[in-house]
Amino acid sequence: MERMFLLGDEAVAQGALDSGISGAYAYPGTPSTEILEYVQRIAPASIHSRWSTNEKTALEAALGMSYAGKRALVSMKHVGLNVAADPFINAAISGANGGLLVAVADDPSMHSSQNEQDSRFYADFAGVPCLEPSDPQEAYDIVGYGFELSERYRIPVLVRLVTRLAHSRAPVERKKAREENGLRLPEDSRRFVLLPANARRNYSRLVELQDAFTAASEESRFNRLFPGADRTLGIIAAGLGYAYVRELYPDELPHPLLKISQYPLPREAVKELMESCDEVVVIEDGYPFIESRLRGLFGNPRVHGRLDGRLPRIGELTPEAVAAALGIEIKPAFAPGDLVAPRPPALCPGCPHADTFRALKEALGDRGRVFSDIGCYTLAALPPYEAVDTCIEMGASIGMAKGAADAGLHPAVAVIGDSTFTHSGITGLLDCVQEGTPVTVVILDNLTVAMTGGQPSQATDRLESICRGLGVDPDHIRVITPIGPRHEENVQVLREEIDHPGVSVVIARRECVQTAARRARRRAK
């Protein structure tokens, strides 16, 4: 049996490849990006793997592959599931055909995200099983099990990771790879037609399946109840929390411990632990998903965790926080030396966005506001630039600029990256064109998805034609080259378009310095 040394993300990808997937779809987003990158690096050409325009189209493509009877993996970060929420919830109603796994990497502590949301709530909301591995080996194993579960109940299954697991590396033992499914269309052709009559019937089936999902969780090898002699305290540890608890008790468990890696919660196992212990502490990363259910609406003083302060309410789980919750004193693994100093994030030296923001600030002067989107250019909110005023979500900048312009604010400028524009900015620009709103959209075209490591952008070589197709006046689609010697020329172009009493687009195009450097190194070899 082959032994590999894999990241949690890579273990998910290898598990999917060895489970016989025929396709993998994703939009890059930390901490999930490495899943599709690994598939693209390892998989044979016969397995379809492409970056999608956004998480919604990725999930829809995976659902289509499942409709055709084949196994499909779709991956994204937690906020991406908001974008894909429509097909995700409806796929729970239509069901799957070939196995369909939705791998979502949550980012507690917001290392590279705008919120901490917990994808277990989405699985609960949709009424589908959720699997939460505790280490890379289990991430590999649980993917194969998830595909079996998906095909047994004809339902999508969500696999939830967190940052610390997604980016932790550990030995993983591979199993024999499974063959891909053949084409096999659904026996019930109405199942995927969510007209109200069919949707109501499907929804009834989904509700009826909930007991079966709970029974599967009761019997799951990934949920385990371990005995312990000291029943003054019981421990419920979910996902990565289980790994932290076992690190603290490497030899023998003094207290009963229930490991949770499959949802819905295994009721009987939870009941047994609750009834046999005086108090229970819940160790879970993210929101207090399990704890809130055990405490109920009116609270339960026997249950401890994030809600009563036994663990910090926000931020990712840490070994130190878990030790404190269990009353164990530990020493930090290592203390950072004097050479390690806090370093705020910043645009790379030579970044084209820096030249664009210098020109934009000069063109605006004291006028108006700049509505930013999500990407490395959002760092322009920090000194020395301090050039953007908002950053809410992918695709929000153009819509917010429009709303501010509707309110009478002028100039209203939106800045958005090339990939983010195709992800979810296009529709906002379409709204502006429809109403002739006086906004200026600056598309920062660095020819890649730079924030996540340089994946291809769907917008490359297409931005001008997309904008023309949306109805933007060709005379007000301008292209500038953000570089020092052209600063005055760029300021003038931006001034002219900002003063235009209608929709204007300025495309600031220069390749990302990081991808340009990598390309140069490859050429030199």
Side-chain angles (χ1 to χ4, degrees):
M1 187 174 291
E2 185 181 1
R3 193 173 170 87
M4 307 177 75
F5 199 56
L6 300 176
L7 292 177
D9 275 349
E10 295 172 341
V12 168
Q14 187 66 57
L17 291 169
D18 291 344
S19 299
I21 59 167
S22 297
Y25 302 87
Y27 184 81
T30 305
S32 68
T33 307
E34 291 87 351
I35 296 176
L36 189 63
E37 285 184 336
Y38 185 88
V39 171
Q40 294 188 332
R41 197 165 65 243
I42 299 298
S46 59
I47 294 177
H48 187 96
S49 62
R50 298 285 190 281
W51 295 105
S52 303
T53 298
N54 61 35
E55 296 84 354
K56 180 176 183 289
T57 63
L59 202 153
E60 289 161 346
L63 182 62
M65 181 166 279
S66 167
Y67 175 89
K70 300 207 171 189
R71 290 185 169 186
L73 172 72
V74 58
S75 56
M76 61 196 71
K77 68 181 297 179
H78 60 306
V79 290
L81 189 52
N82 297 335
V83 179
D86 203 5
F88 180 65
I89 301 297
N90 288 330
I93 305 293
S94 71
N97 190 30
L100 175 57
L101 235 59
V102 183
V104 183
D106 291 353
D107 187 21
S109 278
M110 296 179 269
H111 295 287
S112 182
S113 309
Q114 60 270 46
N115 69 41
E116 280 200 348
Q117 73 186 54
D118 189 321
S119 297
R120 292 177 296 176
F121 283 90
Y122 259 119
D124 188 61
F125 181 37
V128 302
C130 174
L131 305 173
E132 186 182 15
S134 57
D135 57 41
Q137 178 67 61
E138 197 166 72
Y140 174 87
D141 294 334
I142 220 164
V143 164
Y145 171 78
F147 276 115
E148 293 170 9
L149 197 66
S150 175
E151 293 190 341
R152 185 191 317 160
Y153 294 107
R154 296 283 189 263
I155 196 79
V157 172
L158 189 147
V159 174
R160 183 216 186 203
L161 306 171
V162 292
T163 302
R164 203 57 57 175
L165 174 57
H167 290 167
S168 294
R169 194 175 290 278
V172 171
E173 288 191 354
R174 284 182 63 191
K175 297 175 181 173
K176 184 179 178 182
R178 177 188 181 278
E179 295 289 327
E180 293 181 43
N181 291 348
L183 277 174
R184 184 192 65 222
L185 295 175
E187 295 172 0
D188 178 1
S189 59
R190 296 175 301 167
R191 188 152 61 88
F192 285 84
V193 184
L194 293 186
L195 288 167
N198 296 338
R200 283 193 287 269
R201 184 194 59 173
N202 290 0
Y203 185 58
S204 295
R205 172 185 175 272
L206 177 63
V207 171
E208 289 168 2
L209 279 172
Q210 296 305 307
D211 287 343
F213 296 161
T214 301
S217 186
E218 300 280 3
E219 299 167 358
S220 173
R221 65 180 184 274
F222 297 104
N223 292 337
R224 292 183 64 189
L225 181 57
F226 299 89
D230 183 355
R231 294 180 179 270
T232 58
L233 184 69
I235 304 169
I236 296 178
L240 188 63
Y242 170 75
Y244 289 155
V245 172
R246 292 312 306 249
E247 282 181 12
L248 293 168
Y249 300 119
D251 300 321
E252 185 177 356
L253 285 166
H255 307 292
L257 167 64
L258 175 58
K259 170 185 179 292
I260 301 287
S261 285
Q262 182 169 341
Y263 306 82
L265 286 171
R267 293 176 193 158
E268 292 304 318
V270 172
K271 182 180 177 186
E272 183 178 339
L273 185 88
M274 292 288 290
E275 290 182 347
S276 64
C277 297
D278 298 337
E279 295 187 325
V280 171
V281 62
V282 182
I283 310 294
E284 56 188 329
D285 216 345
Y287 289 179
F289 178 82
I290 299 173
E291 184 189 354
S292 61
R293 280 154 177 73
L294 299 186
R295 291 175 68 87
L297 182 61
F298 299 105
N300 182 336
R302 295 175 53 227
V303 178
H304 307 286
R306 289 182 180 268
L307 289 175
D308 75 342
R310 184 71 67 94
L311 284 161
R313 177 62 184 84
I314 62 174
E316 69 176 334
L317 214 55
T318 64
E320 291 79 11
V322 174
L326 296 174
I328 301 172
E329 290 188 12
I330 61 170
K331 295 180 180 177
F334 63 88
D338 295 337
L339 290 176
V340 181
R343 184 171 63 90
L347 295 176
C348 302
C351 174
H353 301 334
D355 289 298
T356 301
F357 280 113
R358 287 190 195 99
L360 181 59
K361 284 196 74 167
E362 186 169 331
L364 278 170
D366 296 330
R367 304 179 297 162
R369 288 289 184 273
V370 177
F371 299 84
S372 177
D373 227 283
I374 302 280
C376 46
Y377 47 89
T378 313
L379 296 172
L382 303 174
Y385 307 101
E386 298 180 288
V388 303
D389 300 290
T390 73
C391 173
I392 302 296
E393 61 177 62
M394 294 279 280
S397 63
I398 300 177
M400 289 187 69
K402 179 184 184 305
D406 292 343
L409 178 68
H410 187 78
V413 177
V415 292
I416 187 167
D418 50 335
S419 181
T420 313
F421 177 68
T422 53
H423 175 281
S424 49
I426 289 175
T427 46
L429 182 56
L430 187 59
D431 281 348
C432 296
V433 170
Q434 183 68 17
E435 296 188 42
T437 311
V439 298
T440 298
V441 177
V442 180
I443 303 177
L444 302 159
D445 184 11
N446 59 5
L447 310 173
T448 189
V449 190
M451 189 74 167
T452 48
Q455 294 77 22
S457 166
Q458 307 282 34
T460 301
D461 298 330
R462 298 174 182 162
L463 283 173
E464 292 94 320
S465 60
I466 290 173
C467 293
R468 285 196 301 270
L470 292 173
V472 180
D473 183 346
D475 290 340
H476 293 283
I477 301 173
R478 310 280 292 274
V479 180
I480 64 174
T481 301
I483 193 168
R486 296 196 178 181
H487 176 77
E488 295 303 326
E489 176 186 339
N490 293 339
V491 170
Q492 182 59 32
V493 170
L494 285 163
R495 277 198 186 117
E496 290 171 6
E497 296 309 323
I498 287 170
D499 291 338
H500 171 61
V503 181
S504 60
V505 174
V506 177
I507 300 168
R509 177 173 293 141
R510 178 157 70 86
E511 185 179 5
C512 167
V513 291
Q514 296 293 340
T515 59
R518 282 199 290 271
R519 198 158 42 79
R521 285 195 294 269
R522 283 197 298 270
R523 276 202 308 264
K525 287 183 179 178

